[in-house]
Amino acid sequence: MGNGELVEYLGTMLRIRYFEEKVFELLSRDLIKGASHVYAGEEAIAVGACAAIREDDYIASTHRGHGHCLAKGGKLPQMMAELCGRETGYCKGRGGSMHIADVKTGNLGATGIVGSNIPVATGAGISVKLRHTDQVVLCFFGDGASNTGVFHESLNMASAWKLPVIYICENNLYGMSGSVKKVSSVQDIAVRGSAYNIPSEIVDGMDILKVKEAVRKAAAGAREGKGPYLIECKTYRFYGHSRSDPRVYRTREEEAEWKEKDPVERFKKKILGEGVMTEDEIKSLEKNISVEVDKATEYALNSPFPSPETLTDDVYVKTVVSRKS
Amino acid sequence: MREIYYRQALNEALGEEMERDERVFLMGEDIAIYGGAYGVTKGLYEKFGEERVRDTAISEAAIAGAAAGAAMTGMRPVAEIMYIDFSTIAADEIINIVAKNRYMFGGKTTVPVVLRTEGGTGRGIAAHHSQSLESWYVHIPGLYVVMPSTPYDAKGLLKSSIRDDNPVMFIEHKMLYGMKGPVPEEDYTVPLGVADVKREGKDVTIIAYSRMALLAVEAANELSGGGIECEVIDLRTLKPLDIDTIMTSVKKTGKAIVVSEACKTGGFAGEVVSQIVELGFDYLDAPVVRVAGADVPIPMSPTLEEVAVPRVVDIVEAVKKTVVSG
Ligand SMILES: Cc1ncc(C[n+]2csc(CCOP(=O)(O)OP(=O)(O)O)c2C)c(N)n1
Ligand SMILES: [Mg+2]
């Protein structure tokens, strides 16, 4: 791994962190409407995982999907424009935060229905097999999603058919408020792999290089036809579930403990310690990315809203194969 | 009379019914310490404890099916499906089990389940959190479908739903939780299957439900200034449907408009139109029209979301057209 790559990873993590901080600010100023689930605290997972795969591989994202989108190659301006409901956004303002997708980069999209993308990732795995490519699919989902029926159905299917899908559980200990301790039968989601004969492991989700290494190994196996893999990343979301969440279901002490493990700060320290970058270089990288985020925000807020006449565009593909005319 | 919010009215109904009948219990996602996504169950966990206010995992199918099992064995569950958009996951249990068990078993069991959920647009939360899927459930024999538009109705109808031995889809509207209205302090119920004439008028009948009932009243007030007097009927329950109240009004006005937030094609508004035409063809002076949602997944962007469902101006225009064509 060259130094250039490490710098790039730090850049992507910072991009996600600053983007999310800006999103939170725009939400409270009501410049972003609706809901946005921010990824701050979990950056190491998306960045580490996407660093371990190829450009032509796929990812399936979640309602907490901004980080996945950026890590897979999504661009700040189009993302911010989407969150602000503008025509210039990745989904022309139709999707917003919960449905963000940059389809060109192999992102199969985010979903507002928890768990609903787990079968989609699995189906992409079927397609890879049928097309005889050696692509892999990363399927991101939360601890909460691992209690949905489709999680279990998908793992069974992927295992039975040896599909090249890597299931990546972002276990941040909570759903909205429901803690894994209270609503789940197991504390380590990784153990659920054994029920489906899928190898699994637990990874420190606050350490980008550990995530990257685990996904690299799993992806190599999947490309060789060894089938699916389940990786559970232990992590924490730094913000509340939504803008108004008073976070009564968790303690401030617990939050402080996890903030000690901040994946961005931790990686910065590592990079400094190993002499990959100097303090000044990191500062200037941070400055540049903060300017990028500001520019993206400006782009978004100056972009037009979709025109009402376009309301039903794209409900159907225009070419009609068979219809009585 | 004191005024309280729609969400408080629902909260009171739940709390009072739990006091009254110890078989009543709640389950759903984030309903305990969090108090529900829209705050309806706030304080009930503190008051009744975790046995009777049960936080579940994200498992809608199990929530609905487990409610059926508990109901068939002597309990009276009120289960919350956070958004009606997620009821799709529970649809098998709702449609095949909750709705049908009584009939399939020769009337020898009852399934007194209330499934509380919410729907509708207005918050910019896009295609997976804004749908109006009531028509699906109206279509299923064995289910009742209730959609209150005011705090008073919300409380009275929820109590009736909990006391009724039939399964009820109780569909709230996300934009109504923060609306205030008069609600008596003492116990009362609003019967299922009785519509509310919100405004009398001689020229046109507007039939609506849920949030659209409030928009219909607004439209009627505006039209009244221009000399058109609308009678506004809030259905309150879609099933059982109070067709008598509808027909009495239509026979008087000779003209009807049905307003619904749901997609027009295959929606409940079409059912109301059919019944009016079947029963009242001879009384009609103009085509009965629907003012309904566009056939589109609800877009996030505010400029699109706004035009995806009926606005007051759409109702006003439809009324004017109907009056002219009559
Ligand atoms: C099927 C479904 N049920 C409930 C919700 C409401 N909801 C949105 S996010 C969320 C928590 C998801 O938890 P998890 O899978 O752990 O992901 P996290 O938010 O922690 O990243 C819930 C319950 C939903 N969107 N979809
Ligand atoms: Mg979680």
Side-chain angles (χ1 to χ4, degrees), chain A residues 102-121:
Chain A
D102 175 14
V103 175
K104 272 205 224 110
T105 55
N107 183 345
L108 298 168
T111 174
I113 308 292
V114 169
S116 63
N117 255 356
I118 305 176
V120 174

Side-chain angles (χ1 to χ4, degrees), chain B residues 211-291:
Chain B
R211 178 162 172 258
M212 287 297 141
L214 307 188
L215 266 58
V217 171
E218 265 186 66
N221 289 341
E222 196 178 316
L223 286 156
S224 176
I228 300 175
E229 295 305 331
C230 304
E231 184 139 303
V232 178
I233 297 176
D234 178 357
L235 293 177
R236 301 199 289 197
T237 64
L238 279 55
K239 204 178 195 174
L241 178 67
D242 184 0
I243 190 66
D244 294 344
T245 296
I246 296 173
M247 292 318 295
T248 303
S249 176
V250 171
K251 285 175 187 170
K252 177 172 78 175
T253 62
K255 300 180 197 77
I257 284 164
V258 188
V259 189
S260 163
E261 193 171 329
C263 297
K264 195 172 198 174
T265 304
F268 184 68
E271 172 63 28
V272 177
V273 173
S274 308
Q275 294 202 26
I276 292 172
V277 173
E278 280 173 6
L279 297 169
F281 186 75
D282 292 341
Y283 299 91
L284 291 170
D285 301 324
V288 184
V289 296
R290 292 168 292 172
V291 180

Side-chain angles (χ1 to χ4, degrees), chain A residues 63-64 112-114 142-145 172 174-176 241, chain B residues 29-30 58 60 82 86 89 129:
Chain A
H63 60 284
R64 197 175 299 290
I113 308 292
V114 169
D143 48 281
N172 57 13
Y174 299 91
M176 254 168 81
H241 181 75
Chain B
E29 293 158 22
D30 306 289
I58 305 174
E60 284 80 7
M82 195 186 290
F86 315 156
I89 299 159
H129 289 78

Side-chain angles (χ1 to χ4, degrees), chain A residues 191-211:
Chain A
V191 305
R192 291 184 164 162
S194 67
Y196 303 101
N197 198 19
I198 292 179
S200 65
E201 72 182 89
I202 296 173
V203 173
D204 178 356
M206 307 307 255
D207 185 329
I208 172 178
L209 297 181
K210 293 222 171 95
V211 175

Side-chain angles (χ1 to χ4, degrees), chain B residues 2-270:
Chain B
R2 68 175 179 145
E3 299 220 328
I4 61 172
Y5 291 110
Y6 186 88
R7 72 157 61 82
Q8 279 175 286
L10 293 162
N11 178 279
E12 286 187 0
L14 292 171
E16 290 170 22
E17 290 306 294
M18 289 175 81
E19 295 267 19
R20 187 187 58 79
D21 184 345
E22 61 183 23
R23 296 170 303 171
V24 177
F25 74 99
L26 315 182
M27 64 175 162
E29 293 158 22
D30 306 289
I31 65 164
I33 190 165
Y34 198 87
Y38 286 98
V40 171
T41 53
K42 272 221 168 87
L44 297 175
Y45 167 76
E46 288 75 4
K47 185 156 182 202
F48 295 101
E50 62 184 9
E51 283 284 305
R52 291 182 75 195
V53 181
R54 307 179 79 89
D55 254 347
T56 69
I58 305 174
S59 307
E60 284 80 7
I63 293 170
M72 290 167 67
T73 50
M75 303 303 289
R76 301 188 79 87
V78 182
E80 176 172 317
I81 303 287
M82 195 186 290
Y83 285 77
I84 199 166
D85 312 70
F86 315 156
S87 76
T88 52
I89 299 159
D92 170 51
E93 299 290 337
I94 300 172
I95 292 172
N96 289 320
I97 303 293
V98 171
K100 298 190 174 64
N101 268 10
R102 174 176 172 76
Y103 184 84
M104 291 189 304
F105 302 153
K108 291 183 180 161
T109 189
T110 55
V111 192
V113 168
V114 178
L115 287 163
R116 277 191 48 247
T117 187
E118 70 78 65
T121 64
R123 287 195 52 224
I125 46 181
H128 289 172
H129 289 78
S130 308
Q131 294 172 81
S132 299
L133 300 179
E134 62 272 14
S135 315
W136 290 12
Y137 297 108
V138 170
H139 191 62
I140 305 303
L143 292 177
Y144 283 159
V145 179
V146 177
M147 296 185 75
S149 72
T150 66
Y152 179 91
D153 290 346
K155 183 169 180 181
L157 286 166
L158 184 51
K159 286 192 164 203
S160 293
S161 301
I162 293 171
R163 294 178 196 183
D164 200 285
D165 280 337
N166 291 292
V168 177
M169 283 296 285
F170 193 93
I171 307 172
E172 298 151 18
H173 195 294
K174 58 173 64 62
M175 300 308 284
L176 296 179
Y177 289 117
M179 305 274 262
K180 264 190 166 173
V183 174
E185 314 238 2
E186 61 280 5
D187 184 46
Y188 71 95
T189 57
V190 173
L192 306 184
V194 179
D196 182 27
V197 179
K198 297 204 92 66
R199 188 185 189 287
E200 293 191 5
K202 59 177 188 355
D203 299 323
V204 196
T205 303
I206 309 179
I207 299 136
Y209 57 92
S210 190
R211 178 162 172 258
M212 287 297 141
L214 307 188
L215 266 58
V217 171
E218 265 186 66
N221 289 341
E222 196 178 316
L223 286 156
S224 176
I228 300 175
E229 295 305 331
C230 304
E231 184 139 303
V232 178
I233 297 176
D234 178 357
L235 293 177
R236 301 199 289 197
T237 64
L238 279 55
K239 204 178 195 174
L241 178 67
D242 184 0
I243 190 66
D244 294 344
T245 296
I246 296 173
M247 292 318 295
T248 303
S249 176
V250 171
K251 285 175 187 170
K252 177 172 78 175
T253 62
K255 300 180 197 77
I257 284 164
V258 188
V259 189
S260 163
E261 193 171 329
C263 297
K264 195 172 198 174
T265 304
F268 184 68

Side-chain angles (χ1 to χ4, degrees), chain A residues 33-35 83 85 93-96 98-99 111-113 144 147-148 176-178 183 248 305-307 311 315, chain B residues 30 33-34 56-59 82 85-86 89 123-126 128-129 294 296 299-304 307-308:
Chain A
K33 307 264 184 239
L83 267 62
R94 272 65 173 173
M98 274 192 283
H99 305 288
T111 174
I113 308 292
N147 292 320
T148 64
M176 254 168 81
S177 71
V183 303
V248 288
F305 282 107
S307 136
L311 176 67
V315 177
Chain B
D30 306 289
I33 190 165
Y34 198 87
T56 69
I58 305 174
S59 307
M82 195 186 290
D85 312 70
F86 315 156
I89 299 159
R123 287 195 52 224
I125 46 181
H128 289 172
H129 289 78
V296 71
M300 179 269 170
S301 189
T303 53
L304 298 179
V307 295

